[in-house]
């Protein structure tokens, strides 16, 4: 197979059957050390995994593929709350080997039943040799119709993603994920993950409130990705699921 380019990746309209590069393509010694997903507006942690932390229950290795590639297939279990957030922030801590890196870039394609739902493109840029770096990104999520969300809930692990990592336009890493979303009680007064990380989540939310930063104030300092394509049935930004003023409630948002 010829080497896949950025242009090739952006033409994909369904998950790849296998991996488009071997593990040995990562000749830069890039290692992922920790990964955090947060609600951008409240700063509360949704998911966190790292070498120094126990593996969370939300994540598991996909054993459908044996061998070294099975560690490149991950299964996530999330609440439907995550599907309804307008902005999600991620923080990836990674280290690099003894070679400098220019043009470090990630393209992430999300699908449901072989239909492209959203696509994101992030650029980190330059990394010095032997460094440890933090890659903060903000995902501007396309609002999904209630019908599509219900289908995703009713069909676990049929929502999938491919993450492609490039250095100077060359594909060096490819990871896969599948997602299971569980339904929440619409009468609850808070999102399911709000108490999950205890004081850490509360502290982050308090800091976000005190800073009074709007959704877009920090976008210039972060690598922001807009959704490139949205599946049919998506709602306008002003519909349910978009950022709202005033107290949040599941009963108002989910009905």
């Amino acid at each position: 197979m010829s080497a896949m380019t950025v242009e090739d990746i952006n033409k994909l309209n369904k998950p790849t059957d296998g991996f488009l590069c071997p593990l040995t393509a990562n000749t830069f010694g890039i290692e992922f050390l920790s990964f955090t997903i947060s609600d951008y507006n409240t700063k509360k942690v949704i998911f966190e995994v790292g070498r120094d932390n126990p593996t969370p229950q939300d994540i598991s290795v996909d054993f459908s593929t044996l061998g070294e590639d099975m560690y490149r297939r991950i299964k996530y279990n999330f609440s439907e709350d995550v599907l309804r957030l307008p902005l999600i922030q991620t923080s990836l801590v990674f280290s690099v080997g003894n070679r400098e890196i220019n043009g470090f870039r990630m393209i992430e394609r999300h699908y449901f039943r072989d239909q492209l739902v959203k696509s994101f493109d992030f650029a980190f840029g330059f990394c010095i040799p032997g460094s440890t770096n933090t890659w903060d990104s903000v995902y501007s999520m396309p609002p999904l119709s209630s019908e599509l969300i219900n289908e995703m809930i009713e069909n676990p692990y049929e929502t999938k993603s491919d993450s492609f990592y490039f250095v100077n336009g060359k594909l060096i890493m490819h990871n896969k994920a599948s997602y299971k979303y569980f339904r929440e009680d619409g009468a609850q007064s808070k999102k399911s993950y709000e108490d999950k990380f205890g004081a850490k989540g509360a502290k982050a939310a308090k800091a976000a409130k005190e800073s009074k930063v709007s959704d877009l104030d920090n976008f210039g300092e972060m690598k922001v990705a807009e959704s490139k394509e949205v599946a049919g049935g998506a709602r306008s930004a002003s519909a349910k699921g978009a950022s709202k003023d005033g107290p949040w409630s599941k009963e108002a948002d989910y009905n």
Side-chain angles (χ1 to χ4, degrees):
M1 184 198 310
S2 60
M4 297 292 287
T5 66
V6 168
E7 291 72 23
D8 294 329
I9 296 303
N10 284 326
K11 292 177 182 177
L12 296 173
N13 54 22
K14 64 179 182 178
T16 63
D17 293 330
F19 293 98
L20 301 185
C21 67
L23 285 171
T24 53
N26 178 16
T27 59
F28 295 88
I30 298 173
E31 294 186 35
F32 295 154
L33 306 179
S34 68
F35 181 60
T36 304
I37 303 174
S38 305
D39 179 338
Y40 178 78
N41 288 328
T42 67
K43 307 306 180 190
K44 289 192 175 182
V45 175
I46 299 170
F47 171 83
E48 186 175 51
V49 65
R51 288 188 174 182
D52 298 329
N53 301 323
T55 302
Q57 296 181 347
D58 316 76
I59 187 174
S60 62
V61 174
D62 185 346
F63 291 102
S64 62
T65 301
L66 298 179
E68 59 183 13
D69 279 345
M70 71 181 182
Y71 296 105
R72 295 201 277 174
R73 294 180 184 267
I74 300 297
K75 288 185 173 182
Y76 290 99
N77 298 319
F78 288 143
S79 160
E80 65 175 304
D81 293 335
V82 176
L83 292 172
R84 300 177 187 272
L85 291 175
L87 295 166
I88 290 177
Q89 179 174 340
T90 64
S91 183
L92 173 66
V93 178
F94 66 96
S95 62
V96 301
N98 57 9
R99 298 175 60 189
E100 67 178 35
I101 294 177
N102 285 290
F104 193 23
R105 180 176 180 181
M106 180 188 76
I107 298 175
E108 193 169 279
R109 310 276 281 181
H110 289 253
Y111 309 90
F112 176 66
R113 288 185 164 180
D114 293 343
Q115 182 178 12
L116 182 66
V117 176
K118 51 200 173 188
S119 181
F120 301 96
D121 191 334
F122 298 98
F124 187 86
F126 177 79
C127 303
I128 65 174
S131 62
T132 297
N133 307 272
T134 300
W135 192 341
D136 290 326
S137 305
V138 177
Y139 291 71
S140 178
M141 306 299 290
L144 305 177
S145 69
S146 295
E147 292 78 10
L148 181 56
I149 289 175
N150 285 333
E151 285 193 64
M152 289 178 169
I153 294 171
E154 293 170 1
N155 296 277
Y157 302 120
E158 290 195 38
T159 304
K160 303 177 184 293
S161 67
D162 281 306
S163 298
F164 305 94
Y165 298 85
F166 290 84
V167 171
N168 277 336
K170 180 181 179 181
L171 182 63
I172 65 161
M173 300 170 70
H174 178 193
N175 295 327
K176 288 178 166 290
S178 55
Y179 304 83
K180 175 183 179 180
Y181 296 99
F182 56 87
R183 200 176 302 280
E184 287 292 339
D185 181 358
Q188 292 182 15
S189 61
K190 61 175 66 176
K191 295 181 174 70
S192 60
Y193 54 81
E194 290 194 0
D195 294 327
K196 188 173 182 180
F197 289 88
K200 180 188 296 184
K203 184 177 180 181
K206 181 180 179 182
K209 182 177 180 180
E210 291 175 350
S211 67
K212 297 182 179 179
V213 177
S214 70
D215 289 345
L216 300 179
D217 283 346
N218 284 341
F219 275 23
E221 300 175 8
M222 295 184 175
K223 311 298 187 292
V224 183
E226 294 290 345
S227 175
K228 305 300 182 184
E229 300 180 48
V230 181
R235 301 168 298 174
S236 67
S238 60
K240 292 179 182 178
S243 180
K244 299 186 179 81
D245 295 327
W248 179 90
S249 73
K250 284 189 175 178
E251 189 169 8
D253 199 16
Y254 288 19
N255 295 326

